[in-house]
Structures are given as structure tokens and as C-alpha cells.
Amino acid sequence: MKELQTIEETLKYLQFDNWEQSPPGLARSRALLALLGDPQKKLKFVHIAGTNGKGSTAAMLASVLQSAGYRTGLYTSPHLLRFHERMRVNGREIDDESLIALTNTVRNAAAQMQEMPTGFEIMTAIAFLYFVQERCGIVSLEVGLGGRMDSTNVIPAPEVCVVANIGLEHTAILGDTVEKIAAEKCGIIKRGAHAVLFRQSEGVENVAREKCAQEGVPLTITAPEKLERISSSLDGQVFRYRGRGPFHLRLLGEYQLLNALTVIDVCSALRARGWDRLTDGAIDEGLSAAQWPGRLELLRRHPDFIVDGAHNPQCVDALMDSLAALYGGKKLIFLTGVLRDKDWQQMLRRALPLAKAFVVITPPSARALDENELAAWLTAQGVQAVPAAGPGDGVRRALALADGDDAICSWGSLYFTGEVRRALTEQ
């Protein structure tokens, strides 16, 4: 088999995705990693599952761990602008040379297997090898899909298992109730770890408590009633939690504030396990420095231009609550596109009360709702709707509608958000 020589060849190879044709399970990942010397057994982890907020939580935690002086790996998916974002050490993306070499190593191992690993299983193996190569002291590891059967769940008991906010997603795979989905997410909880759960419904909390009792794992549930909000603006948020702080968070939105509580509770659990550099000062420094592009990210002022990856009703609810808190009674210009098989009417009805106008595009998907059909539906709801030919045209039309004191918010898939970010930099 010819070795991959260039980054273009490597990225093309990594684009394949055969998971829908592959039976779920960890056997392929275990076999692949065994051929590679089980790199996951040479690392320490915080393992993070959930529906909404797991990526933000992983990124904030990595920033805090780095601020505390630990050499920290961060594994997240999907990427916003380029593949390299998925694997970072101390905030720096994997370099081309390492990605090419490690992909060849994993590709050669996969060729020895009877059953081909999925694309995500191969990516995860590359990440583990990279974090070992870079001598990471700890890795903030985001689950790809679900938890129990996700390829990241081949790791030994992590330092802390984290379950972020849970909603209905991938119901054909994970289950049709939040409790069934919670059981899959809580499948990452292993004996020997500590568990931290984002405070949510009683049903989800009961699932987590039962799993922790089975595994003999101590459980911390975040306590939003012990959150003291000091200030919130487009410059960031200041707060106290459990009588500690003040802490400064650059990320915007109520949901990011609640995710930060999860991070602080994870740090307390880690500190109890001997990670004693995680002082309140390190936590504040890390939260102040944390960045998570594409999530309620303010890219421009006058007019304000915010991008967010909200793509399901739960995410849109959180986004609209955050926008209402930031802008009060001001109406916004929204730039978005939807998929026909999603609950798009529910998402858009949630946005209507905050909308001055919509600019709509057709996402690049066979499942996309045409921009003209979407514009007609919005017009029938009594709001101005302008069709656009794509993200770049959408950005131009949204800016043309806006006065200097207006605010524009683009929301949709992370792929769409990445395209909007790119188009905005070219304006």
C-alpha cells in the first residue's frame, strides 16, 4: 500500500465515513489500538459526553488545565474550518507532518484487520497516538456519538467522567427518550473514576445516580442555585460559584455560564484526585482565556455579527434566551438555513419573536429545505425573509439589511457556521 505523502492526500483519506454501514461496538477500536500498542493506556483523561455543551465544556476544561501548567490534549469533533482543529495540544492544532505520519501508521494497522474501522475510529486512534507523542499529562476527550458504544470509550477509567446537557438526538441509534439517551451517555462512567453531571431533569439524574451506584463512582451534580451572577455583557461574564470566585468567562451566553459550572466541579474532582495545581486562580485564568469558535461568537461590531452552531430545537432555545439577555428588546437579523427532515418549524417559531428579518439559504445537503420555500413560509408568518444563494451571498445580504446599531446572528450547522465565518472575513 502506497504511503500518503501530502496533507491533501491525507485529508482526502480521512474524509471517508462508513459508520452507518458498520455495526456498533468497540471491538474494531480495541483491535486497531492493540495493533498500535494501546496508546490510550499511556494517557490520563477527562471523558465528556452529552448532547449540547460537551465541546464547549471540553474546550474550557482544556484551557483551565493548560493554565494550571499541565500539558493538555484536546480532542473534539466535528471541526469548524479545518480537520486539524480536532486534535490540539496546549491550544495548538496538530501539524501537517504529524497528521500525515500518524495517519499512515493507523492506515497500515487498519489494513491488517478483517473488518475495516470507521472513519471516526481511525481519527480517534490517530489522536491517541498524537497525545502520546506529545507527552500529554492529561487529555480532555469529547465523545463523538452517544457514549457507551463510542470509539472513545475504549479508554481505561478516566480521572473524571462528565455528562453534559442531554436532549433528544440520534433517536434511532440512542433511544427515543432522554432517559434512554442518558443511559447511553452514562455508559462512559467506569469504576475508579469520579463523575460530574450537568444539572438537568430528574429522569436523567436518576439514570446517572443508578449507573454511579453500580460502578461505585462518586457523583457530583452541578448546583446552578449556587451561581451568583455579577455581570454579563458582550465583553464576557463575571460570576461566583459555590462561594468561590469571582471567575471571568470570555464566552457569551447563559448556557456557557452553566457549562463553566461543570468545568469548576470537574476541577474540584480532579483536585481531590491529586491534580493540586487546579487552584481558583488557574480556573479563573483558564476560563478567561477559553475560546470556542462558532458558539455565540461575536465576530464584528457595528453592526454586531454573531455566529452560533445551533441546529436543533434545544440549541435554538438556548441561543434565543442568550440573545434576549444580551440585547433586551432589540430585534435581530437572522441568517440561517434548515434541513427538511429536522423540526425546522419549531426552531424558527422560537426565533420569530426576536426577528427583525431573516436571510435564508439552502444548506449543501440532499435533505435541505429550499431557500425560496423557507422564505415563503417565513413571509407567511409576518416577517421579512430574503433568499440568498449561499453563505457568502447571505452574509452580504444580511449586512445590507443592517444599520450600524443592528445585530445579526447566523445559526445552523457547524459546517454552515464555518462557511459564514470564512465569508465574513472576506467582506
Side-chain angles (χ1 to χ4, degrees):
M1 182 168 54
K2 183 183 176 184
E3 295 275 283
L4 302 167
Q5 300 291 330
T6 67
I7 192 62
E8 291 77 19
E9 289 177 334
T10 302
L11 294 175
K12 183 177 180 180
Y13 168 74
L14 291 170
Q15 282 176 359
F16 81 91
D17 194 352
N18 57 334
W19 69 270
E20 290 184 334
Q21 292 78 45
S22 303
L26 302 180
R28 289 181 303 273
S29 283
R30 289 189 175 121
L32 176 61
L33 290 164
L35 291 168
L36 297 167
D38 282 322
Q40 77 282 7
K41 295 181 180 178
K42 302 169 187 175
L43 297 163
K44 300 286 188 182
F45 296 95
V46 174
H47 201 190
I48 304 169
T51 304
N52 300 312
K54 65 182 186 293
S56 300
T57 301
M60 279 190 260
L61 178 62
S63 183
V64 170
L65 289 164
Q66 182 183 342
S67 293
Y70 298 109
R71 188 161 177 81
T72 305
L74 173 62
Y75 182 56
T76 57
S77 60
H79 58 272
L80 188 65
L81 294 175
R82 68 186 205 129
F83 181 90
H84 302 60
E85 298 166 21
R86 295 170 180 247
M87 305 165 197
R88 307 183 194 216
V89 174
N90 279 5
R92 298 187 63 176
E93 298 171 3
I94 188 171
D95 59 281
D96 286 355
E97 184 179 349
S98 293
L99 184 55
I100 295 167
L102 294 174
T103 301
N104 277 315
T105 299
V106 175
R107 183 169 171 250
N108 289 334
Q112 302 174 44
M113 296 172 57
Q114 289 187 331
E115 185 180 356
M116 181 67 178
T118 68
F120 189 73
E121 288 164 352
I122 284 174
M123 293 174 202
T124 302
I126 293 167
F128 290 159
L129 287 174
Y130 180 60
F131 296 141
V132 170
Q133 172 187 299
E134 295 299 309
R135 296 182 171 84
C136 289
I138 190 166
V139 174
S140 182
L141 181 71
E142 182 192 5
V143 166
L145 171 64
R148 182 175 64 93
M149 292 299 217
D150 186 74
S151 64
T152 62
N153 204 29
V154 296
I155 63 172
E159 296 293 288
V160 184
C161 310
V162 185
V163 180
N165 198 17
I166 289 175
L168 292 173
E169 62 159 0
H170 302 293
T171 52
I173 301 169
L174 302 178
D176 57 3
T177 68
V178 290
E179 289 80 12
K180 289 178 182 177
I181 293 173
E184 290 297 316
K185 308 284 187 185
C186 289
I188 69 169
I189 296 172
K190 297 183 176 71
R191 185 173 297 274
H194 190 115
V196 173
L197 176 71
F198 180 100
R199 168 66 59 83
Q200 48 200 294
S201 72
E202 183 178 358
V204 170
E205 291 181 11
N206 287 339
V207 170
R209 287 191 180 96
E210 182 177 345
K211 177 64 173 177
C212 287
Q214 289 173 356
E215 300 293 334
V217 168
L219 173 65
T220 300
I221 300 177
T222 60
E225 72 278 6
K226 295 182 180 178
L227 166 64
E228 178 190 346
R229 297 168 179 83
I230 298 174
S231 67
S232 178
S233 72
L234 289 169
D235 296 319
Q237 308 184 70
V238 184
F239 66 100
R240 296 181 187 274
Y241 179 51
R242 298 191 190 270
R244 298 160 60 185
F247 299 108
H248 299 76
L249 181 65
R250 177 189 298 184
L251 304 180
L252 305 178
E254 175 77 4
Y255 63 94
Q256 296 293 28
L257 190 58
L258 296 177
N259 289 333
L261 307 189
T262 306
V263 172
I264 294 170
D265 283 340
V266 170
C267 290
S268 296
L270 284 168
R271 191 170 168 82
R273 294 175 67 94
W275 300 82
D276 52 12
R277 297 184 216 160
L278 289 167
T279 62
D280 282 3
I283 293 171
D284 183 44
E285 182 181 340
L287 291 177
S288 297
Q291 299 181 51
W292 194 227
R295 286 77 169 182
L296 206 66
E297 181 185 15
L298 179 63
L299 293 176
R300 180 182 289 195
R301 300 298 306 269
H302 310 301
D304 292 356
F305 203 119
I306 289 174
V307 294
D308 189 85
H311 62 283
N312 62 40
Q314 189 177 15
C315 290
V316 173
D317 281 345
L319 173 61
M320 296 305 148
D321 287 344
S322 296
L323 291 172
L326 286 169
Y327 289 103
K330 179 185 283 190
K331 302 274 189 176
L332 288 86
I333 298 166
F334 291 119
L335 169 59
T336 192
V338 298
L339 299 180
R340 188 181 295 276
D341 59 356
K342 295 283 187 179
D343 195 354
W344 60 269
Q345 293 186 4
Q346 180 181 343
M347 291 190 286
L348 290 165
R349 285 196 177 99
R350 180 66 178 86
L352 282 170
L354 279 71
K356 176 181 179 180
F358 279 87
V359 177
V360 295
I361 63 109
T362 304
S365 168
R367 298 148 49 210
L369 185 69
D370 178 78
E371 76 265 16
N372 294 300
E373 187 177 345
L374 179 54
W377 185 88
L378 286 164
T379 300
Q381 312 309 308
V383 65
Q384 181 183 7
V386 179
D393 187 40
V395 168
R396 286 189 293 274
R397 291 178 182 271
L399 289 170
L401 287 174
D403 296 324
D405 60 351
D406 272 323
I408 301 165
C409 179
S410 165
W411 52 272
S413 69
L414 280 183
Y415 172 80
F416 173 63
T417 300
E419 290 298 303
V420 170
R421 280 179 104 254
R422 183 179 287 111
L424 189 60
T425 62
E426 297 171 353
Q427 296 293 318

